[in-house]
Amino acid sequence: QVQLVESGGGLVQATGSLRLSCAASGRTFSSGIMGWFRQPPGKEREFVAAITWRGGSTYYTNSVKGRFTISRDNAKNTVYLQMNSLKPEDTAVYYCAASPRIVVVTRTDEYDYWGQGTQVTVSS
């Protein structure tokens, strides 16, 4: 059974930074994809970024390009999301997710495992 645990959320002022972490356990992650999604208040969950365990290829949704960076530490089975230049519209619950696919996918139904989420609130 795969477990994903997010941490690092909180309250930050606009233009500030936060780093989210997602620790994965329950299996050895040598392939597949880790993704970050977010769900703003009253809206559907949306794709933010993803990275492949093997090779470290990354992909971002347009609204976070140049501001967010996804990375992974294979030895620690941990994925990070560095968020800079935060905006109030980045306010959401952020989730990490794991997919067995070997190419980056962005739909929620393509990810098999999910963390419990961590709240990020950006004040103006």
Side-chain angles (χ1 to χ4, degrees), residues 100-122:
R101 292 161 178 80
I102 60 173
V103 294
V104 170
V105 291
T106 62
R107 295 200 333 248
T108 56
D109 62 357
E110 293 172 306
Y111 287 78
D112 296 340
Y113 303 100
W114 292 83
Q116 82 287 352
T118 185
Q119 177 71 48
V120 171
T121 303
V122 184

Side-chain angles (χ1 to χ4, degrees), residues 36 49 58 60 64 66-71 80-84:
W36 284 99
T58 58
Y60 300 90
V64 307
R67 300 189 299 123
F68 290 12
T69 303
I70 188 171
S71 62
Y80 305 96
L81 186 67
Q82 177 66 44
M83 305 186 294
N84 299 327

Side-chain angles (χ1 to χ4, degrees), residues 19-43:
R19 188 176 83 154
L20 305 182
S21 299
C22 174
S25 62
R27 53 162 282 189
T28 300
F29 290 85
S30 59
S31 62
I33 305 159
M34 292 296 292
W36 284 99
F37 289 74
R38 65 187 181 187
Q39 188 162 14
K43 297 184 178 180

Side-chain angles (χ1 to χ4, degrees), residues 54-77:
R54 185 175 297 171
S57 298
T58 58
Y59 186 79
Y60 300 90
T61 192
N62 285 339
S63 63
V64 307
K65 283 182 181 177
R67 300 189 299 123
F68 290 12
T69 303
I70 188 171
S71 62
R72 89 263 191 250
D73 184 330
N74 292 55
K76 295 182 179 180
N77 273 359

